[in-house]
Amino acid sequence: MSAKEEILGRIRSALADAPAAEEVPREYRTSSDMSEEQLIEMLVDRLVDYKAGVDVIDAAQIPDFVAAKLGKAASVVYPHGLDTVWLSALPQGIARRIDTPGARLSVAELDETSAVVTSSAVSIAESGTIILDGEPDQGRRAISLVPDHHVCIVPVSTIVQLLPEAMPRLTVTRPLTWISGPSATSDIELERVEGVHGPRVLDVLLVRGL
């Protein structure tokens, strides 16, 4: 018998006469009736409160806004599935690095990169949370966590109000990244420190018609 089998056997034995677990009540809200404009307003309010930069734009404006956000960047990384039209207005002086499954940038290379541009999967207005799920237009987790500046494209069509509305849209076994504002943490003295667990600067473009 392996150690694993022995441990599981002991657990089963200990639970043999345990009472049946009570059914967990699930009376929380699972849907909302907010309009698109109300969802945008709520998400903007939460993101601004988290000290993120937020703009509400149309799809045709993405290249210009991405260029404006990254005007002072020396280099930018983007996932292999990102629409490169979104980067078409970047100044020529900004070095572009693409991260692909077959040619991944090292942590050192990502650390030397000024910024990252990704899309997103789902955003929760009530908590101000943007979720990335590793799709080709979002890339692996490292590229959105190591560079100091993250420009995140959020299609308005992917905004929901509540967490229970977001979960059915996600495959929970995938590597999910949940973003609620720029990286920030506090020590026991409540001293705020930014950039420890991710980008210090988060710019969010909420895009209508996408």
Side-chain angles (χ1 to χ4, degrees):
M1 178 181 292
S2 69
K4 177 181 177 181
E5 291 170 336
E6 182 179 355
I7 292 170
L8 291 177
R10 291 180 181 180
I11 293 173
R12 294 188 189 100
S13 177
L15 294 177
D17 58 352
E22 296 183 10
E23 185 174 348
V24 178
R26 303 187 184 277
E27 299 173 355
Y28 49 78
R29 294 176 299 159
T30 59
S31 62
S32 67
D33 56 2
M34 294 184 72
S35 68
E36 182 177 281
E37 289 304 313
Q38 288 173 320
L39 289 172
I40 293 173
E41 183 179 357
M42 178 180 284
L43 182 57
V44 169
D45 177 74
R46 302 300 192 270
L47 290 171
V48 170
D49 191 52
Y50 291 147
K51 302 182 185 289
V54 188
D55 293 279
V56 183
I57 64 175
D58 295 322
Q61 298 175 286
I62 294 177
D64 290 336
F65 271 80
V66 169
K69 300 301 179 185
L70 298 180
K72 296 182 180 179
S75 56
V76 60
V77 62
Y78 61 96
H80 68 284
L82 192 78
D83 187 345
T84 54
V85 172
W86 296 353
L87 308 176
S88 60
L90 287 178
Q92 292 298 316
I94 298 179
R96 306 182 192 191
R97 297 175 173 176
I98 182 171
D99 189 77
T100 70
R104 291 184 168 183
L105 298 177
S106 68
V107 173
E109 289 173 316
L110 291 174
D111 192 41
E112 294 170 352
T113 305
S114 305
V116 58
V117 180
T118 74
S119 188
S120 57
V122 185
S123 294
I124 305 169
E126 191 169 64
S127 62
T129 304
I130 301 167
I131 306 173
L132 279 57
D133 67 358
E135 280 290 318
D137 61 355
Q138 298 153 57
R140 59 191 173 108
R141 298 188 74 224
I143 69 169
S144 63
L145 295 175
V146 179
D148 204 42
H149 184 181
H150 184 186
V151 177
C152 190
I153 312 296
V154 174
V156 166
S157 61
T158 65
I159 302 174
V160 298
Q161 182 190 353
L162 308 169
L163 176 61
E165 292 179 293
M167 295 309 296
R169 301 188 181 202
L170 300 167
T171 302
V172 296
T173 54
R174 302 194 69 175
L176 304 178
T177 303
W178 298 58
I179 302 168
S180 295
S183 168
T185 189
S186 295
D187 60 18
I188 196 170
E189 302 268 335
L190 299 182
E191 292 290 335
R192 180 183 172 97
V193 179
E194 298 177 344
V196 176
H197 305 295
R200 280 181 287 186
V201 179
L202 174 65
D203 282 311
V204 181
L205 301 180
L206 304 182
V207 185
R208 292 189 174 96
L210 190 64

